[in-house]
Amino acid sequence: MLHSTNQFDASACHGCGLCSMVCPVYQQGGNVMHTPHGWARRMQSAGELDPEEVMVCMLGGACAPVCPQDIDMMQMLVAYRQDTQDHTPVAALAEAPARQKGKVVFIGDRCCADDAAYREKILHLLHGQHAVMASDQGQDISEAMQAGRKVSHARMHQFLGTLQGVKKIIISDGLLQMLIRDKLPQISMESLGRLISSHTEVRRCITADDYYVLDSQSYHADYERAVLYYDNLQQQTACELSRDLHRLAMPTGALSSSRFSQPGQVEWLMAGRKARRIIVESLADYYLLAEQCDRPVVHITEIL
């Protein structure tokens, strides 16, 4: 559904408000018009959405799995933002990336693109998977989805074309994970955090003194499998998880807009937590929490 719609389709919403209950933007500002619930109510009353209000959304993804009507709000929001923001579409790369049929490929997040040492560390940890860096990391597409920019059909075809026939995708970008699951559902895909934390040696290093902070976008992009996986991780290690009472991942806001208070979100995330150490799956979360918290913060790739 990640395509132009020219509208926010609110017809299926019956107004339960569950998406507002799990929305961190609503929790901070208390403005229902910054939630899918509020947008649906306005559209059902023949009103029009303010594109700037929709841009306040941090795309954490919790609203989609909690919706009883199975409205895929993340994809709807991305499409609406792309239709209402006045940007030049992301064009195809001048030189087409190579296809990697039959290979296990790794697609990093936006922070990974700027940190060569981090990329090398990941590939070392994934040596048992015989993984290689994807020839097209698609970060221009991920950034466009976050910013509300359109992606040209040529660029989308170029990116997805390099993934046709790959054996498996290991990924640490939640927005691209959502996109690929929608467009190429037949391809096996695993989030980086889940794959690394499944290693026996890594699990032995996670204890009851740790607070494990999930990558919220990746978690919600594959919610049904993620819930069961992290239930098992918590049972085996006795660690605390950054999930709320609905078993939804609590985002840090590390990649959110300036209208979202990151310190306020971190304060809420850490309230009542007694763990001595913080383990994170997202490099963006690592940078934010290391700056905001007085406890040791380690990325999942560094735990060994």
Side-chain angles (χ1 to χ4, degrees), residues 85-150:
Q85 300 302 306
D86 186 16
H87 295 296
T88 302
V90 177
L93 303 179
E95 186 174 339
R99 291 178 177 266
Q100 296 176 295
K101 186 176 181 179
K103 294 184 178 181
V104 177
V105 300
F106 169 65
I107 298 177
D109 53 28
R110 280 160 279 177
C111 294
C112 184
D114 300 324
D115 195 328
Y118 172 62
R119 294 196 301 271
E120 290 301 316
K121 185 178 296 183
I122 290 173
L123 290 176
H124 176 71
L125 288 170
L126 299 179
H127 69 277
Q129 299 278 331
H130 305 290
V132 298
M133 292 295 294
S135 61
D136 187 347
Q137 290 287 298
Q139 289 310 305
D140 55 338
I141 297 175
S142 177
E143 290 170 6
M145 293 169 68
Q146 188 77 36
R149 291 183 62 197
K150 288 187 178 181

Side-chain angles (χ1 to χ4, degrees), residues 4-290:
S4 294
T5 60
N6 294 313
Q7 63 180 347
F8 185 94
D9 184 2
S11 58
C13 175
H14 58 47
C16 68
L18 288 176
C19 56
S20 299
M21 291 174 59
V22 301
C23 177
V25 177
Y26 179 71
Q27 179 192 8
Q28 284 202 7
N31 187 345
V32 74
M33 288 315 304
H34 290 166
T35 72
H37 179 206
W39 302 327
R41 278 287 168 263
R42 179 177 290 179
M43 296 297 287
Q44 290 171 350
S45 301
E48 294 184 359
L49 296 189
D50 180 347
E52 291 305 310
E53 288 181 339
V54 179
M55 286 300 295
V56 172
C57 172
M58 61 180 292
L59 298 179
C63 54
V66 79
C67 178
Q69 296 295 92
D70 292 325
I71 302 172
D72 198 337
M73 284 173 283
M74 279 285 283
Q75 297 200 49
M76 189 181 295
L77 285 168
V78 168
Y80 181 83
R81 286 160 70 147
Q82 290 175 335
D83 283 341
T84 54
Q85 300 302 306
D86 186 16
H87 295 296
T88 302
V90 177
L93 303 179
E95 186 174 339
R99 291 178 177 266
Q100 296 176 295
K101 186 176 181 179
K103 294 184 178 181
V104 177
V105 300
F106 169 65
I107 298 177
D109 53 28
R110 280 160 279 177
C111 294
C112 184
D114 300 324
D115 195 328
Y118 172 62
R119 294 196 301 271
E120 290 301 316
K121 185 178 296 183
I122 290 173
L123 290 176
H124 176 71
L125 288 170
L126 299 179
H127 69 277
Q129 299 278 331
H130 305 290
V132 298
M133 292 295 294
S135 61
D136 187 347
Q137 290 287 298
Q139 289 310 305
D140 55 338
I141 297 175
S142 177
E143 290 170 6
M145 293 169 68
Q146 188 77 36
R149 291 183 62 197
K150 288 187 178 181
V151 180
S152 69
H153 290 295
R155 178 67 186 108
M156 189 67 73
H157 178 76
Q158 189 179 57
F159 172 64
L160 296 174
T162 65
L163 300 175
Q164 292 284 356
V166 299
K167 184 178 180 181
K168 183 178 182 178
I169 298 172
I170 301 167
I171 189 165
S172 62
D173 188 303
L175 290 180
L176 289 181
Q177 185 175 348
M178 178 183 71
L179 169 66
I180 296 168
R181 287 195 186 282
D182 179 57
K183 299 295 186 182
L184 302 173
Q186 75 280 8
I187 294 181
S188 173
M189 185 159 47
E190 193 77 68
S191 71
L192 178 69
R194 258 194 354 230
L195 188 65
I196 293 180
S197 63
S198 67
H199 291 186
T200 303
E201 295 83 0
V202 172
R203 286 213 172 185
R204 286 176 182 155
C205 296
I206 303 173
T207 71
D209 288 329
D210 291 321
Y211 181 31
Y212 193 103
V213 177
L214 304 157
D215 177 359
S216 62
Q217 286 183 339
S218 292
Y219 180 90
H220 298 131
D222 191 19
Y223 178 71
E224 291 185 4
R225 287 204 308 158
V227 166
L228 297 177
Y229 174 83
Y230 287 104
D231 280 351
N232 178 266
L233 175 69
Q234 189 171 38
Q235 290 168 7
Q236 284 193 5
T237 65
C239 69
E240 288 188 273
L241 289 176
S242 59
R243 299 195 297 187
D244 62 16
L245 295 177
H246 307 277
R247 292 158 87 195
L248 295 161
M250 301 156 62
T252 66
L255 296 173
S256 65
S257 68
S258 58
R259 295 173 66 178
F260 186 85
S261 171
Q262 294 175 344
Q265 187 70 1
V266 172
E267 182 179 353
W268 173 67
L269 196 72
M270 299 302 300
R273 308 292 182 177
K274 299 180 180 179
R276 298 179 183 177
R277 181 177 65 167
I278 304 169
I279 301 172
V280 299
E281 293 183 337
S282 163
L283 200 58
D285 291 347
Y286 170 83
Y287 293 140
L288 176 63
L289 292 174

